Amino acid sequence: MVCSLFRLRRGVWQTSTIAALAFLVVGCSEGKVSQCNQLIGVANQAVTQVQSVTQSANPAPGAPGTSNANNANNIEAMTRIATAADQARTEMEGLQFSDERLTQFQSRFVAMYTEIGNATRALVSSAQASNSQGAQQAFDQLKTATEKEAPLVTEVNQYCANPQ
């Protein structure tokens, strides 16, 4: 009787241990939904930061009819946008994905944020130097970089909407 009780307890302990380990493995590994939420969360945060800056900013640096004070405010706003792009890039780079497709999306976001930050800083430099040709080039680069966002977001949303 004592031996069978010991076997029963040992069996229960082994079953409990196996169940606990399985729970930890499943609980610690992140599924596709969780990883998608992380990626989307960083992207949404970047958009929110840029929108916050642009909503409080004045017309673009060097726009006709703007004063020097407005230009200084706009340069400050553009600098904050470059900083937000750098922060988004850093946060995006810090994410770890087991899903290869999400890693590809992550790389594209990192490249886009890098391009946005660089183009924005070039625009600021050109505006400060009153270099209209340089400002136009930087603006075109910024426009090209930001145009990548909508298709990328659409692809991420389509991929993440499929739970498998």
Side-chain angles (χ1 to χ4, degrees), residues 68-132:
N68 288 338
N70 283 344
N71 284 339
N73 289 340
N74 292 328
I75 289 172
E76 171 62 28
M78 294 301 287
T79 302
R80 289 179 24 216
I81 289 172
T83 300
D86 292 343
Q87 181 180 355
R89 183 195 69 234
T90 300
E91 289 179 25
M92 190 64 75
E93 288 173 330
L95 298 176
Q96 298 291 319
F97 299 121
S98 58
D99 185 299
E100 185 178 326
R101 182 79 173 161
L102 289 176
T103 301
Q104 293 170 357
F105 291 138
Q106 175 187 28
S107 295
R108 289 171 60 192
F109 271 111
V110 167
M112 181 187 70
Y113 293 141
T114 300
E115 290 173 26
I116 290 170
N118 290 341
T120 304
R121 278 188 288 284
L123 182 58
V124 167
S125 294
S126 294
Q128 289 173 328
S130 298
N131 177 355
S132 60

